[in-house]
Amino acid sequence: MSKSDLITAPSPLLLKDGRPAATAWSLDRQVRHLNHGSFGAVPLAAQNVQDGLRREMDGNPGTWFPHLAARVAEARVAIAAFLGVAAADLALVPNASGGASAVYHSVPTRPGGEILVTDHGYGAVSMGAARLARRWGGRVRTVHVPLAAGEDEAYEAVMGQAGDRTGLIVVDHITSATARRMPVQRIGAEARRRGIPLLVDGAHVPGLLEDPLQGLDCDFWIGNLHKFGCAPRGSSVLVARSPLRADLYPLIDSWGAEEPFPERFDIQGTLDATSYLATPAALDFIEDTWGWRTARTYMRGLADYAEHVVGAALAELTGRDEPVDVGMPVDAMRLIRLPDGLATTRVEADGLRDRVARELGVAAAFTSFAGVGYLRLSTHVYNTAADYEYFAEHCVPVLGEWSGAATGRGER
């Protein structure tokens, strides 16, 4: 009996009143939602809290905004406790890319210096690094990390390219396109020894990894709360625990400019900060209903089953039974190779995402790495085995047809 024969579907999670977990979300029931990792999904409990906050804001903005900073600071305390960091080390930002932009505006200038990124990096964050490098009159050095690289190989690939000209290292905690971890603890320790600033992009991490910053030594860490944390969109964190944070400022200069980090981030004029204030309600909803550990266990088991079911369907279609080895896998996210000719570039992957949504009624993530297209599965508590069984039965055959059209031959 193979390992795959032992993979069974976990029982669906239920609410305390016995209803399916999905009823706690307002997701379109006409769509199969298999891509929680990109944009998340906000439970009704948090939506209701945010709606109430917006009514309060719009009902009396003259009272709301003068006292908003204190409420944002209170939310920071709850969010910091969830992540296991000190509130004094955490600022709230609209998204991970916004946090990265704040870092790029603050790191010490290195004329002619290099910024190290990897070929697994998130495009928007790498683009920001390139813009910073142009300001330095330097360049970005993109490190190739093999998809199947284990901890040692990935560490050597990154730090082997760091040198005297390296002014900043940017590395993912969990990669977006390839759904794998990077050895950020080891990279952080060596970067600190060499005196190289390190930015860790943990966009997918909050809610997915327990105590994610334990043992991690980095200058800056960014993470989206609106992905696996299920917070309202526009709620993310920038954690800074080194002396470099003294020069960290928000992208908008406001009345908090003379405050220390992170208080200066609490005041952003008339921006709608209700997403920050409603985030603790989202985090508490998962904890109070199932507990985050139970939720993560369910997501991991469902991801194993999803990979098995969809992978088996694609293997039968293509005759290629080759599970994707990502070296350092991630709970709740899996990578499955697509039939030839599909999603071979990022632009093609985005086009396939849109076509699958339009023609098949499924919200799914498709990515490309090294010229190969992949389906990136991600799970959450509202997903069930039936979601992935549906994709295997109804969508995989269509992907085979599209592959045949793209390559000029039919798939087995």
Side-chain angles (χ1 to χ4, degrees):
M1 180 178 291
S2 68
K3 179 182 177 181
S4 63
D5 293 327
L6 301 175
I7 297 176
T8 59
S11 299
L13 290 182
L14 301 176
L15 299 173
K16 291 179 179 178
D17 60 9
R19 290 180 298 140
T23 58
W25 274 261
S26 58
L27 290 165
D28 184 350
R29 298 293 188 269
Q30 304 303 311
V31 177
R32 296 275 178 169
H33 296 276
L34 309 185
N35 182 26
H36 184 90
S38 285
F39 305 108
V42 187
L44 286 166
Q47 291 183 41
N48 292 337
V49 169
Q50 187 177 25
D51 289 344
L53 290 165
R54 282 179 173 149
R55 286 193 296 272
E56 183 182 349
M57 173 178 66
D58 293 329
N60 192 344
T63 298
W64 173 270
F65 286 104
H67 300 283
L68 180 58
R71 298 178 74 164
V72 172
E74 184 179 354
R76 276 198 296 107
V77 171
I79 293 166
F82 175 74
L83 293 173
V85 301
D89 296 337
L90 182 146
L92 293 172
V93 291
N95 51 45
S97 298
S101 296
V103 170
Y104 294 151
H105 280 81
S106 73
V107 290
T109 300
R110 287 289 300 272
E114 291 185 344
I115 301 174
L116 218 61
V117 302
T118 79
D119 54 356
H120 297 253
Y122 186 65
V125 173
S126 295
M127 290 175 189
R131 186 161 63 93
L132 175 59
R134 289 194 295 271
R135 295 207 308 269
W136 286 358
R139 66 165 186 158
V140 167
R141 181 187 290 271
T142 302
V143 177
H144 172 61
V145 178
L147 181 61
E151 179 178 335
D152 291 343
E153 185 179 4
Y155 167 79
E156 293 294 343
V158 174
M159 295 312 301
Q161 294 295 317
D164 294 338
R165 299 179 65 85
T166 306
L168 177 67
I169 298 173
V170 183
V171 65
D172 293 80
H173 203 149
I174 294 174
T175 62
S176 176
T178 50
R180 58 159 292 155
R181 291 180 294 115
M182 289 291 183
V184 291
Q185 283 84 1
R186 289 182 61 184
I187 291 170
E190 181 61 15
R192 177 71 67 220
R193 189 186 71 81
R194 299 192 198 183
I196 303 173
L198 172 65
L199 165 62
V200 174
D201 182 355
H204 288 273
V205 170
L208 189 52
L209 300 184
E210 185 175 4
D211 203 4
L213 283 92
Q214 184 179 30
L216 173 56
D217 187 359
C218 62
D219 297 277
F220 314 103
W221 187 91
I222 51 179
N224 286 327
L225 296 157
H226 59 250
K227 290 182 183 287
F228 288 93
C230 293
R233 256 74 61 177
S235 183
S236 305
V237 299
L238 166 58
V239 177
R241 300 191 287 197
S242 83
L244 293 179
R245 72 184 191 173
D247 293 320
L248 266 178
Y249 284 83
L251 298 180
I252 299 173
D253 285 325
S254 191
W255 289 100
E258 295 182 353
E259 298 292 331
F261 177 88
E263 284 81 2
R264 63 175 67 116
F265 282 77
D266 294 344
I267 304 175
Q268 293 288 282
T270 54
L271 290 184
D272 184 348
T274 58
S275 58
Y276 299 158
L277 304 187
T279 289
L283 302 177
D284 289 346
F285 171 74
I286 302 294
E287 179 61 34
D288 294 342
T289 306
W290 301 287
W292 273 100
R293 288 187 178 179
T294 297
R296 280 189 281 264
T297 298
Y298 176 77
M299 288 187 275
R300 179 174 61 249
L302 185 57
D304 287 340
Y305 181 74
E307 180 183 32
H308 170 55
V309 169
V310 177
L314 279 166
E316 183 177 355
L317 177 76
T318 64
R320 184 175 57 216
D321 187 8
E322 301 171 357
V324 179
D325 181 4
V326 296
M328 300 177 69
V330 180
D331 289 351
M333 297 176 72
R334 298 290 185 273
L335 211 62
I336 299 177
R337 182 170 176 174
L338 290 168
D340 293 340
L342 298 181
T344 59
T345 67
R346 183 188 65 80
V347 173
E348 289 181 7
D350 289 347
L352 183 59
R353 173 202 64 203
D354 295 342
R355 187 178 184 186
V356 167
R358 183 177 61 252
E359 299 184 26
L360 303 180
V362 173
F366 298 93
T367 68
S368 176
F369 183 74
V372 177
Y374 297 95
L375 166 66
R376 193 197 72 189
L377 297 173
S378 55
T379 63
H380 215 282
V381 295
Y382 57 80
N383 288 124
T384 68
D387 294 326
Y388 305 95
E389 292 164 354
Y390 178 91
F391 189 92
E393 181 179 354
H394 297 279
C395 301
V396 166
V398 179
L399 292 177
E401 295 173 5
W402 293 350
S403 169
T407 60
R409 59 181 172 81
E411 285 287 350
R412 288 177 54 207

